[in-house]
Amino acid sequence: MSCTETPIEPACALRSPASSGPPPALSTGARAAPARRRGRAAALVAAGAAGAGAAVWTSAAVAVWTGAPATAARSAAPLVASATSALPERTPAAPPERVTLTADDEDADDDDVGPGTLEAQRLRLFARMRRELALPDEAMRQVEAIFAASTVLGQGNPALTRHPMSRSECRRIRALSGVEPAREPACGAPGMVPLFDPTRGQTAADAPACIDQLEFPNVPCEYPVVHVRAREAALLCRAVGKRICDAHEWEGACAGALRDPDVEYEWARPRNEASWHHNLLREKVWSYGPAKDHALCGTGSSRTPGCPGGGWDRCGSNTYPAGAFPACRSSLGVFDLHGNVAEHMSLPILPEELARHGDRGFTEMKGSWFAFSSMEVHADDCRFRAPDWHATRLMSRGSHANYHLGFRCCKDITPPDGAERGEGVDHHGAR
């Protein structure tokens, strides 16, 4: 199976993880004692309070929190500053005077210490999903079974991955920015927002579906799941009571206007021809506005030296925590549609292949990933539709996976055609 980032890079095999040594230290430093952490948190809040209506962290404040050398702190400061700049107007005039530490900041299983094995990484991820998403036991059993069937599915190879930002930094950025997960009753799940088209006078009440605000697992400040095949992405969405998104839903969430499928697809036209025509006529807009600005999103990380374009044992998943860039947000309230990880979506060629009818479409990669500031290899505006890179049917067992590729889920508000008549669809898209 090819696992290259683009068609022009050399192919590489996706190999099983080798045994790893001690856990690598995060670039944000090793764990500190609880009292010391409280002092660091206070320093960061004070630094944020110095900003006029937005959090502005100095390199000294970053160094206090991370325990990093001053040079590293200075290099990190622009990333932190960009994450908290250009905030929406609803942002409070000044950050809160005090940020309350969560249990994760002080418990023995510190979030900012990297796990040494894939198994340990998965166990921590599952615990966070149970706590944050309130998933029923059966849903978690299905999730764990899907992970167990893969030798690489997780948040990246622990021996190679170097995250440029810790979970605790992300939590403080979001707290200082006043960012909270959406709680829309119509969506029936936390952290989801309705998809609709305000340019046609629609409101959230007209939305046919909802989309996750963050990349899977859709938990604030958790690292995205990567090395995931399109098939596994679709199964994981179904396991948690959702489904994979269609390409036009992702594009609408990004551009701030969900258009009808009959407008967005040229049914029955060959894929490359339809995508070429779509791209030729598309509006160019990014989730945060009409002009491209990679600094607003999680694109400032780097690829592992020597990474040939893919592979578990050569490429670390050097991702940011999800939702760590408040300005990287669409008008519909969806984060990280540029940067962090690219995302699996479903591309229907026929109307009956829309994801609401089952997982019958083809694979489509959306967005960009964490190193795009230095290696922009394709367009990443909202309505760009990729050529058939690594194209397979969505549910193919050989569908693509890579170190920079994740996904997010959608959920129908209105029932699919035929659902009222009992014409259900199973998790594999077969009637």
Side-chain angles (χ1 to χ4, degrees):
M1 180 197 71
S2 173
C3 56
T4 52
E5 291 169 328
T6 71
I8 61 173
E9 293 204 29
C12 60
L14 187 65
R15 284 173 275 186
S16 301
S19 59
S20 57
L26 289 172
S27 61
T28 50
R31 174 176 143 206
R36 187 180 177 195
R37 293 174 70 87
R38 284 193 290 270
R40 290 175 172 177
L44 279 181
V45 173
V56 180
W57 295 359
T58 64
S59 59
V62 174
V64 168
W65 167 248
T66 62
T71 54
R74 283 193 293 271
S75 65
L79 295 177
V80 177
S82 67
T84 55
S85 64
L87 297 176
E89 293 182 1
R90 61 179 175 275
T91 302
E97 293 182 1
R98 181 175 181 274
V99 176
T100 302
L101 297 178
T102 67
D104 289 324
D105 290 304
E106 301 198 38
D107 64 19
D109 185 18
D110 192 332
D111 269 354
D112 292 347
V113 176
T117 67
L118 183 63
E119 180 183 10
Q121 180 193 94
R122 288 174 173 180
L123 289 174
R124 186 164 66 183
L125 173 63
F126 298 154
R128 174 61 56 81
M129 290 177 67
R130 286 190 186 91
R131 184 166 67 247
E132 298 290 335
L133 302 177
L135 293 171
D137 290 343
E138 178 56 30
M140 284 308 306
R141 279 193 288 270
Q142 291 183 40
V143 168
E144 292 174 20
I146 295 165
F147 274 78
S150 168
T151 59
V152 293
L153 181 57
Q155 294 165 297
N157 185 342
L160 296 176
T161 293
R162 299 293 185 271
H163 296 298
M165 182 187 291
S166 69
R167 293 175 176 90
S168 56
E169 283 182 76
C170 171
R171 288 195 291 269
R172 282 155 179 76
I173 289 172
R174 288 173 64 88
L176 290 168
S177 304
V179 178
E180 293 287 345
R183 297 193 179 278
E184 296 283 349
C187 295
M192 300 194 82
V193 293
L195 292 173
F196 58 97
D197 188 355
T199 68
R200 293 190 291 154
Q202 293 181 351
T203 67
D206 302 305
C210 294
I211 189 170
D212 285 345
Q213 289 188 290
L214 307 173
E215 301 133 328
F216 191 89
N218 195 32
V219 173
C221 298
E222 192 54 63
Y223 298 111
V225 167
V226 292
H227 289 294
V228 56
R229 297 182 186 274
R231 174 186 175 85
E232 293 165 333
L235 291 174
L236 285 166
C237 286
R238 297 287 180 184
V240 298
K242 305 175 185 178
R243 60 166 173 79
I244 200 74
C245 302
D246 283 316
H248 79 286
E249 291 174 320
W250 189 99
E251 293 161 6
C254 183
L258 176 70
R259 296 172 180 165
D260 289 338
D262 289 345
V263 174
E264 291 290 70
Y265 301 106
E266 299 186 47
W267 301 123
R269 179 178 280 197
R271 175 176 180 166
N272 280 343
E273 181 182 328
S275 294
W276 179 88
H277 192 252
H278 171 93
N279 287 338
L280 181 68
L281 300 177
R282 81 187 191 278
E283 62 171 341
K284 288 189 179 181
V285 63
W286 286 259
S287 65
Y288 44 77
K292 179 171 62 179
D293 187 352
H294 283 322
L296 296 179
C297 299
T299 61
S301 188
S302 59
R303 191 165 70 174
T304 303
C307 169
W312 166 269
D313 55 355
R314 299 288 297 278
C315 303
S317 297
N318 303 329
T319 52
Y320 295 87
F325 291 78
C328 191
R329 178 182 185 179
S330 77
S331 61
L332 293 182
V334 187
F335 294 85
D336 299 332
L337 293 158
H338 318 284
N340 220 16
V341 292
E343 301 175 25
H344 282 298
M345 295 292 139
S346 176
L347 181 71
I349 303 300
L350 300 170
E352 56 266 30
E353 293 172 353
L354 286 163
R356 66 192 283 110
H357 301 307
D359 301 316
R360 298 177 171 189
F362 290 82
T363 56
E364 166 82 356
M365 187 186 75
K366 309 301 291 183
S368 51
W369 56 92
F370 56 78
F372 237 53
S373 287
S374 60
M375 51 171 294
E376 184 173 342
V377 294
H378 59 75
D380 81 330
D381 55 279
C382 290
R383 298 199 185 275
F384 172 75
R385 199 163 288 173
D388 56 349
W389 298 334
H390 314 294
T392 64
R393 282 286 183 180
L394 187 73
M395 298 306 292
S396 168
R397 294 186 181 277
S399 55
H400 184 55
N402 212 343
Y403 73 101
H404 61 73
L405 184 54
F407 68 105
R408 75 178 73 210
C409 304
C410 284
K411 186 177 183 181
D412 293 309
I413 296 177
T414 58
D417 296 341
E420 299 91 341
R421 300 188 299 272
E423 298 175 12
V425 179
D426 68 19
H427 288 186
H428 299 269
R431 289 191 185 275

